Amino acid sequence: MNYPSIFNDVLGPVMRGPSSSHCAASLRIGRICRDLMDGQLQQVVVQYDPQGSLATTHKSQGSDMGLFGGLLGWEADEERLPHYQEAIAAAGIDIQIKIEPIHADHPNTYKLSLFNDLEMRELTAISTGGGMIEVVAIDGCKVSMYGDFFETLVYVTEKETAQILAYLEATIESDALIVCTGRTRFIQVKSQAFLPANILKELQEMEGVSLVKQLHPVLPVPSRKNLSVPFLTCEEMLAYNEKKQLELWELAIYYESARGNLPHEEVYARMKNLLNIMRNAIQLGLQGTKYQDRILGAQSIDFQSKMDTGGLVKGDVLNRIILYVSAMMEVKSSMGVIVAAPTAGSCGALPGAVIGTASALDLSEDEEIKAMLVAGLIGVFISAHATFAAEVGGCMAECGSGSGMAAAAIVSLAKGSLEQSLSAASQALQNSLGMICDPIANRVEAPCLGRNVLAASNALSCANMALANYDSLIPLDEVIETMDKVGNSIAHELRCTALGGLSITKTSREIEARLNDTPTGEDTLAVAARRFKIC
């Protein structure tokens, strides 16, 4: 089973771009593709299914940017990402994008054919939300790679497979040895490090071995053989804590320490680092941001001015939250560095709510870190049993999740109980059920900004209701299970495809046409085909 990590699945990656499920995930896929070709790429053919979300959103929501950056070997926070097209051209990599049926089961499916003068490889991968990925096929062989192991692929003949497998079993320590068959055949070696150079040399010289590929991990927290966690639901957590009587932030540390094989001090330190990145982004946003390909300007500056001059309805904590959410979203939209929390499209709600509340109440950094750990643990439960992908669960999966996480965190800041944090999260998620994803002008700016503010405001309200012992009625585990079911019933057009809701209003189409410099009568796919030579 793939156990979520707070620092893999929930808070992170640290990135640039409008969407983690588009930008960061595609970048990670691109990096794996680069490794599969030993860094030597001349041509790439990318296929997107017309029934998926990427056919209409791959350009405007950053999939191309992330994928191209990954093919160049960049990190998700690379400063050059906005200039990816020039960099790809300078690298001499020819990329063709084709919109055609590939019988994809997932809306965020990437099918890539990779070429150089010596070889051709194929890879299929999916973006599962919040920057997480799964490689599901390589060279016609079914695989399951999440980017959390060092992966070595030993291409072998059928005749020699058993002998080479026996050699590996006797010679190396690995987390898994898997024989993958399809159009070709290879032994997949999952391990904590790449094989020693002498073992690689021996393998490459063996009869029946045609080549060896090494794929680096792309996630910050690796997995390992026999990995286990102390709990994976709220019910299990409460049973685990019955005698320990730990606070929720401490339970988060216990969980992540077990999941990542990390000392408790390192879990705390990693969260402190993420908090500092979030703070820095908010402060950058409050100074004003600029970016050409953008719908909204720097509105948080005007909000700050109104706060300072008494031009707003009074509400110090809520107004501070709105200000910080806005600043964070503006940094995201101007290609600044943010933390996906739990996604880039919802990166404002959680930090805006937590840092805004802590700032308004003059709380310490330690209290903020502990609140973020609380949020991270709520996110683990959501990731394990629902989704953060708007393409699967609508904005409920992104801003809704962020709201539930933030509600629990605010209760922590207010010194509420563990039970009150869980109640706040339950209420906030209940209030978010069915929230659709319909980006205006096919950009992750609006109504995303408003929905991040809504999510943070909902979090504050639910935290206060929980602190006053309002009854949430439905346990958090059951609400998360319901989220998953509701997400599956939301229409395809309302799950980040830009094919329904506000996305197809007259004004949205006019804004998109203005940004793309195209006639307003053309639909999104036609625009993309005309501009980027898409088949």
Side-chain angles (χ1 to χ4, degrees):
M1 183 174 181
N2 184 39
Y3 297 110
S5 158
I6 291 174
F7 301 119
N8 284 350
D9 305 72
V10 183
L11 297 181
V14 177
M15 58 168 286
R16 297 179 192 268
S19 166
S20 47
S21 61
H22 287 75
C23 308
S26 64
L27 186 140
R28 286 168 166 171
I29 292 167
R31 287 178 64 93
I32 292 173
C33 288
R34 181 179 176 86
D35 282 353
L36 189 61
M37 297 298 287
D38 302 318
Q40 303 300 312
L41 281 161
Q42 293 176 334
Q43 183 182 16
V44 179
V45 177
V46 186
Q47 293 171 278
Y48 298 132
D49 196 292
Q51 298 303 312
S53 70
L54 296 170
T56 52
T57 63
H58 65 91
K59 173 67 180 179
S60 58
Q61 295 191 22
S63 293
D64 293 354
M65 177 182 70
L67 183 62
F68 291 17
L71 293 172
L72 291 166
W74 293 352
E75 297 289 348
D77 60 352
E78 170 62 52
E79 190 174 4
R80 294 172 290 177
L81 273 171
H83 310 292
Y84 67 96
Q85 289 178 302
E86 297 95 320
I88 279 287
I93 304 174
D94 174 49
I95 300 182
Q96 299 176 34
I97 296 175
K98 297 184 177 183
I99 311 298
E100 55 191 18
I102 57 174
H103 309 293
D105 295 326
H106 193 283
N108 289 342
T109 299
Y110 297 75
K111 185 175 181 180
L112 300 108
S113 300
L114 314 164
F115 303 85
N116 62 28
D117 285 339
L118 299 176
E119 60 182 330
M120 177 265 186
R121 301 279 147 218
E122 290 181 345
L123 181 145
T124 302
I126 59 175
S127 162
T128 57
M132 299 297 288
I133 66 166
E134 183 183 7
V135 178
V136 296
I138 292 179
D139 290 339
C141 302
K142 289 184 178 181
V143 298
S144 181
M145 299 180 185
Y146 297 96
D148 51 356
F149 284 101
F150 287 84
E151 304 269 7
T152 302
L153 310 183
V154 184
Y155 285 74
V156 296
T157 62
E158 183 177 359
K159 179 181 177 182
E160 306 295 338
T161 299
Q163 178 183 340
I164 295 165
L165 184 62
Y167 167 81
L168 289 169
E169 289 173 338
T171 308
I172 67 168
E173 289 189 12
S174 69
D175 292 82
L177 292 171
I178 305 166
V179 177
C180 303
T181 60
R183 182 169 52 79
T184 185
R185 174 183 290 261
F186 54 79
I187 300 172
Q188 178 187 0
V189 183
K190 292 179 177 287
S191 52
Q192 300 300 302
F194 285 135
L195 307 185
N198 63 312
I199 301 297
L200 280 176
K201 187 173 185 296
E202 287 184 23
L203 279 170
Q204 290 163 342
E205 292 174 351
M206 283 184 177
E207 183 178 353
V209 174
S210 58
L211 72 159
V212 179
K213 297 290 184 178
Q214 295 181 311
L215 313 179
H216 291 82
V218 294
L219 296 181
V221 178
S223 291
R224 63 191 182 279
K225 173 171 60 177
N226 300 323
L227 188 155
S228 65
V229 293
F231 46 80
L232 203 56
T233 66
C234 288
E235 184 178 5
E236 291 171 354
M237 179 189 70
L238 292 171
Y240 173 84
N241 198 41
E242 191 171 345
K243 294 182 179 179
K244 293 180 176 61
Q245 294 300 300
L246 299 170
E247 295 184 42
L248 201 50
W249 70 269
E250 293 175 302
L251 287 163
I253 286 184
Y254 273 69
Y255 175 91
E256 190 64 20
S257 177
R259 167 59 181 83
N261 196 26
L262 301 170
H264 287 198
E265 297 78 10
E266 185 173 345
V267 175
Y268 184 94
R270 287 193 182 205
M271 188 59 78
K272 179 179 180 179
N273 180 59
L274 291 181
L275 176 65
N276 286 332
I277 295 170
M278 293 173 180
R279 278 183 181 157
N280 289 339
I282 289 171
Q283 292 307 311
L284 181 63
L286 293 176
Q287 297 170 27
T289 56
K290 295 181 180 179
Y291 194 67
Q292 184 175 356
D293 187 19
R294 183 174 175 182
I295 303 173
L296 300 170
Q299 300 173 120
S300 59
I301 294 177
D302 294 333
F303 196 92
Q304 175 82 74
S305 177
K306 289 290 187 180
M307 282 180 64
D308 294 342
T309 58
L312 302 175
V313 175
K314 296 296 182 183
D316 291 345
V317 177
L318 180 58
N319 285 336
R320 184 70 60 90
I321 286 173
I322 296 171
L323 176 66
Y324 284 9
V325 170
S326 301
M328 180 69 81
M329 294 298 288
E330 288 165 6
V331 168
K332 175 195 68 69
S333 296
S334 61
M335 290 297 294
V337 175
I338 55 97
V339 177
T343 70
S346 61
C347 70
L350 171 62
V354 172
I355 299 173
T357 299
S359 174
L361 301 180
D362 196 26
L363 301 178
S364 69
E365 179 184 63
D366 177 66
E367 290 170 294
E368 290 181 77
I369 294 168
K370 291 175 180 177
M372 284 296 181
L373 285 164
V374 167
L377 187 55
I378 300 299
V380 163
F381 298 142
I382 296 171
S383 178
H385 305 289
T387 182
F388 292 136
E391 298 83 0
V392 177
C395 196
M396 169 186 66
E398 297 199 24
C399 287
S401 295
S403 186
M405 293 159 61
I410 293 173
V411 170
S412 171
L413 290 173
K415 306 301 182 188
S417 68
L418 181 154
E419 290 75 17
Q420 287 172 329
S421 280
L422 298 182
S423 176
S426 174
Q427 292 179 62
L429 291 176
Q430 290 179 46
N431 295 346
S432 305
L433 292 177
M435 190 186 298
I436 66 171
C437 180
D438 53 344
I440 293 172
N442 212 356
R443 301 299 197 277
V444 189
E445 283 190 79
C448 315
L449 169 59
R451 289 182 184 160
N452 272 260
V453 170
L454 173 67
S457 305
N458 180 46
L460 177 62
S461 299
C462 291
N464 276 335
M465 289 191 293
L467 289 165
N469 293 318
Y470 278 48
D471 191 344
S472 61
L473 295 176
I474 309 298
L476 182 57
D477 286 335
E478 294 180 30
V479 179
I480 292 172
E481 180 183 353
T482 302
M483 280 180 63
D484 190 49
K485 293 177 180 177
V486 170
N488 291 331
S489 64
I490 296 175
H492 165 73
E493 292 81 5
L494 302 175
R495 293 188 292 183
C496 199
T497 57
L499 297 174
L502 295 175
S503 301
I504 59 173
T505 58
K506 176 185 175 183
T507 300
S508 176
R509 290 285 177 82
E510 288 173 347
I511 295 170
E512 184 177 7
R514 184 176 72 246
L515 290 171
N516 291 338
D517 191 25
T518 59
T520 58
E522 291 187 80
D523 64 23
T524 302
L525 188 52
V527 167
R530 188 168 71 80
R531 283 174 58 83
F532 302 106
K533 299 180 181 177
I534 299 169
C535 303

